[in-house]
Amino acid sequence: MTDSTTSGVQQVFQLKSASVSMTALELHYFDPDDFEATLRDKISQAPGFFKDIPIIISLEKYEGLDSELDFFKIIGTCRRHQIHVVGVRGGNDDQRRLARGAALALLPGNSQRDRAHAPESEPADTASADAAGTPGAKAAGTGEPVPARVVNQPVRSGQQIYAPEGDLIILAPVQAGAEVLAAGNIHVYGPLRGRALAGIHGAESARVFCQSLEAELVSIAGHYKISEDLQDNGWKTAVQIQLRDDLLVVTPLDKA
């Protein structure tokens, strides 16, 4: 075997870490007809958002029978709608065995992740607060808050800006076709015309602030509204958006 490093030949590939935003489909039970009907309804609300996206199936709130859980049918239904199932999060041993048989990646659920990473001297539920991406979470081992990511330039169409641990502050417009994501809050000191996804690790206390709401989509902890819904309240004005009782609420900044 030739050593590509010493021979000067470029390596076929390199492995690098990557942070990618993923949409989770939180499955409560599985019936093929109900599943497809619900999927069609969700897609009709935001067809551009769902086209060709990768998703993971979350089993953390699954209450159906394991015998009804057919990952091949789930994958097939999603593919018919140009959605790609890439993995499963959580689940018991039997469910994960079924997922492995369908060639899906296995991701730990919140409780599994906490058990894997919580120090012995620290209760697992204490460690889970940072793992969930709570706004203002402290950097591991430092006791200091995670610094916000600050962007000074406009976020242009096709760009994606990601703050994987703390808040994201953008001192310029976010153009249509751009996407900004944060574990914590998102602040846009200009028009927000693209997509903004806050609390992407499940932090329901996250908020989105902007000087002019013109967004294609806003999401907090997986709950979202598309442009048509957002135009009913606060459109093209300075607002904050937060999650209350599983609903996104838009409030003018001068009344917040």
Side-chain angles (χ1 to χ4, degrees):
M1 182 184 302
T2 303
D3 187 339
S4 60
T5 302
T6 57
S7 65
V9 178
Q10 184 177 4
Q11 292 182 350
V12 176
F13 66 86
Q14 291 182 328
L15 295 176
K16 296 186 177 181
S17 62
S19 296
V20 180
S21 172
M22 295 287 286
T23 297
L25 189 156
E26 189 176 83
L27 194 64
H28 299 161
Y29 73 96
F30 181 67
D31 173 85
D33 294 334
D34 290 352
F35 182 85
E36 182 148 20
T38 303
L39 189 62
R40 287 180 183 275
D41 179 63
K42 295 294 185 183
I43 293 172
S44 69
Q45 298 175 31
F49 176 72
F50 287 99
K51 185 178 180 181
D52 289 326
I53 67 165
I55 66 168
I56 58 174
I57 305 296
S58 172
L59 298 177
E60 293 167 302
K61 296 186 179 179
Y62 185 76
E63 298 178 351
L65 300 175
D66 289 358
S67 59
E68 299 172 347
L69 193 54
D70 189 330
F71 286 110
F72 290 102
K73 287 185 177 179
I74 293 174
I75 293 169
T77 301
C78 289
R79 282 181 178 172
R80 285 198 297 274
H81 295 280
Q82 297 179 289
I83 296 173
H84 308 281
V85 181
V86 298
V88 167
R89 183 174 70 189
N92 60 35
D93 290 343
D94 288 338
Q95 293 164 352
R96 292 170 74 80
R97 176 179 53 78
L98 292 171
R100 187 181 295 109
L104 294 175
L106 301 180
L107 291 78
N110 286 334
S111 59
Q112 293 166 322
R113 183 162 51 243
D114 294 341
R115 287 195 300 270
H117 296 289
E120 292 183 1
S121 59
E122 182 179 23
D125 59 351
T126 301
S128 66
D130 287 350
T134 304
K138 295 181 178 180
T142 67
E144 296 295 327
V146 174
R149 180 176 181 182
V150 179
V151 177
N152 296 304
Q153 302 298 322
V155 185
R156 305 194 182 282
S157 179
Q159 283 188 295
Q160 183 188 76
I161 305 296
Y162 181 39
E165 294 183 326
D167 292 355
L168 176 60
I169 299 173
I170 300 171
L171 305 177
V174 176
Q175 303 292 5
E179 187 174 68
V180 293
L181 310 95
N185 305 307
I186 294 176
H187 304 256
V188 181
Y189 292 94
L192 170 57
R193 300 189 178 104
R195 302 175 183 174
L197 295 85
I200 58 172
H201 301 316
E204 296 185 353
S205 60
R207 301 187 185 193
V208 174
F209 304 85
C210 63
Q211 291 298 311
S212 180
L213 176 62
E214 305 171 37
E216 297 169 324
L217 178 143
V218 173
S219 170
I220 296 176
H223 302 264
Y224 67 89
K225 281 189 175 184
I226 58 175
S227 176
E228 289 81 354
D229 299 325
L230 293 167
Q231 291 180 34
D232 294 337
N233 185 20
W235 190 248
K236 292 191 176 181
T237 64
V239 300
Q240 69 162 317
I241 304 169
Q242 59 187 308
L243 193 61
R244 294 179 186 166
D245 298 325
D246 291 336
L247 295 174
L248 291 189
V249 177
V250 180
T251 308
L253 280 180
D254 58 4
K255 296 181 180 178

